[in-house]
Amino acid sequence: MARAKIALIGAGQIGGTLALLAGLKELGDVVLFDVAEGIPQGKSLDIAEASPVLGFDVAFVGANGYEAIEGADVVIVTAGVPRKPGMSRSDLLGINLKVMEQVGAGIAQFAPDAFVICVTNPLDAMVWALQKASGLPTHKVVGMAGVLDSARFRYFLADEFDVSVEDVTAFVLGGHGDDMVPLVRYSGVAGIPLPDLVKMGWTSQDKVDAIVDRTRKGGGEIVNLLKTGSAFYAPAASAIEMATSYLRDKKRLLPAAAYLTGQYGVDELYLGVPVIIGAGGVERIVEIELDANERAMLDKSVASVRELVGECQKIAPDLGA
Ligand code: A3D
């Protein structure tokens, strides 16, 4: 059987890490695309030269033309510019919106059957724009944020409890930002919910609250440490987990930014919710019950995503028309 083809649009910090992980996991042959000349070619060759040492058989191609992504099964999009000092949020939105228009057109022309995972920020608005610009069905275009946010939550909890990260599950809903909704009731260790672990004396409510807060600000914590650039190892690992579930039809239940058509009372908006990812793309959107407090937090998150998408619609009123 032919190998799968994975196209990575954006060969920056996350793009390069995605290429290495796709190789290590032998997910398929990799095309690394970027507008910057030499970067995708250089990173591809460097990783290919690591393959005899690490022991994987994957072909790597670096490219500056969209024809290279022809027939890709999965496309992971990290293309864009980061926010620079002096740049307003709207400036960033306008620039990355243009990038999504270019990338969407490239995908529509050369990889219309792909499963597309958007990583570019601001995530919930950019995945919306990418779906509009590509015209691909909504169940084939998702945003990566929830896997990363819940991974951070899991790591902090495992560290607090001194247990294996493998036994910690955690759930995060809503948009990717400071008002994301970490769901404490649905998180815990090997099936024991967090509120029970507080009762058992494993931790205190104050510590749980502090971990929730740290999870919400997890991206900023890394930015402050790195000084230049943002997190890339964990974001890349998270997108690879989503791609793996699609390519291997694993039907993982993962939090992802998915297009809602009435679920959670939200219509025509991408929002972080639990979904099943299998060979059909987003095969199901899972609606869990929320209490009044969780609902209020989700509503706040929905409002900020709507505001961002509203700004995109103002900048590019004809997008997807
Ligand atoms: P970076 O290392 O700057 O890579 C971005 C790449 O995009 C650069 O190599 C650019 O040359 C390239 N690029 C710019 N414009 C285009 C274009 N029109 N077509 C193709 N390529 C282009 O950034 P990074 O890899 O660290 O991050 C990539 C994106 O992911 C950023 O928008 C981050 O904000 C975002 N990000 C999201 C999360 C989430 O959890 C959602 C986490 C971390 C980073």
Side-chain angles (χ1 to χ4, degrees), residues 12-14 34-35 78-80 99 102 119-121 144 148 176 231:
Q13 295 277 57
I14 301 181
D34 204 291
V35 285
T78 61
V99 173
Q102 289 168 11
V119 183
T120 303
N121 271 322
M144 186 298 292
L148 170 64
H176 182 57

Side-chain angles (χ1 to χ4, degrees), residues 129-144:
L130 188 61
Q131 190 279 322
K132 292 271 180 246
S134 66
L136 264 61
T138 51
H139 68 279
K140 298 292 284 292
V141 182
V142 290
M144 186 298 292

Side-chain angles (χ1 to χ4, degrees), residues 46-292:
D46 191 11
I47 297 172
E49 288 168 355
S51 66
V53 183
L54 294 169
F56 53 78
D57 288 298
V58 167
F60 291 90
V61 172
N64 303 114
Y66 274 102
E67 58 284 352
I69 75 164
E70 182 152 26
D73 300 289
V74 167
V75 179
I76 306 179
V77 179
T78 61
V81 300
R83 190 160 158 185
K84 299 189 181 95
M87 196 189 269
S88 75
R89 201 186 59 169
S90 290
D91 294 341
L92 176 75
L93 199 71
I95 295 169
N96 281 352
L97 193 57
K98 281 226 162 56
V99 173
M100 291 305 108
E101 288 186 71
Q102 289 168 11
V103 175
I107 294 172
Q109 187 176 354
F110 292 106
D113 296 323
F115 181 59
V116 178
I117 302 169
C118 180
V119 183
T120 303
N121 271 322
L123 192 270
D124 305 276
M126 290 304 106
V127 63
W128 174 90
L130 188 61
Q131 190 279 322
K132 292 271 180 246
S134 66
L136 264 61
T138 51
H139 68 279
K140 298 292 284 292
V141 182
V142 290
M144 186 298 292
V147 174
L148 170 64
D149 295 331
S150 58
R152 287 181 173 144
F153 196 13
R154 287 170 67 191
Y155 169 69
F156 299 148
L157 289 170
D159 194 39
E160 163 67 7
F161 297 140
D162 195 20
V163 298
S164 165
V165 287
E166 287 182 42
D167 293 323
V168 179
T169 51
F171 228 105
V172 171
L173 275 187
H176 182 57
D178 289 356
D179 48 20
M180 73 176 84
V181 186
L183 287 180
V184 168
R185 282 190 309 142
Y186 290 101
S187 307
V189 179
I192 311 168
L194 263 182
D196 289 8
L197 292 164
V198 173
K199 278 186 216 146
M200 287 155 61
W202 276 39
T203 186
S204 65
Q205 189 57 47
D206 283 352
K207 282 199 175 146
V208 172
D209 293 344
I211 287 173
V212 164
D213 189 54
R214 190 175 175 199
T215 302
R216 284 207 173 105
K217 298 174 181 157
E221 184 177 1
I222 305 274
V223 168
N224 288 338
L225 288 166
L226 293 178
K227 309 269 188 318
T228 56
S230 51
F232 52 100
Y233 294 117
S238 303
I240 288 290
E241 188 172 47
M242 294 168 72
T244 306
S245 192
Y246 172 75
L247 287 168
R248 307 231 160 112
D249 193 23
K250 284 175 73 79
K251 303 189 193 296
R252 298 281 312 274
L253 195 162
L254 299 169
Y259 191 74
L260 301 185
T261 52
Q263 299 90 344
Y264 291 92
V266 178
D267 205 15
E268 297 188 357
L269 201 69
Y270 270 91
L271 192 74
V273 291
V275 298
I276 306 285
I277 296 178
V282 174
E283 297 183 348
R284 260 188 289 163
I285 290 174
V286 181
E287 271 189 276
I288 53 170
E289 242 173 69
L290 302 178
D291 65 25

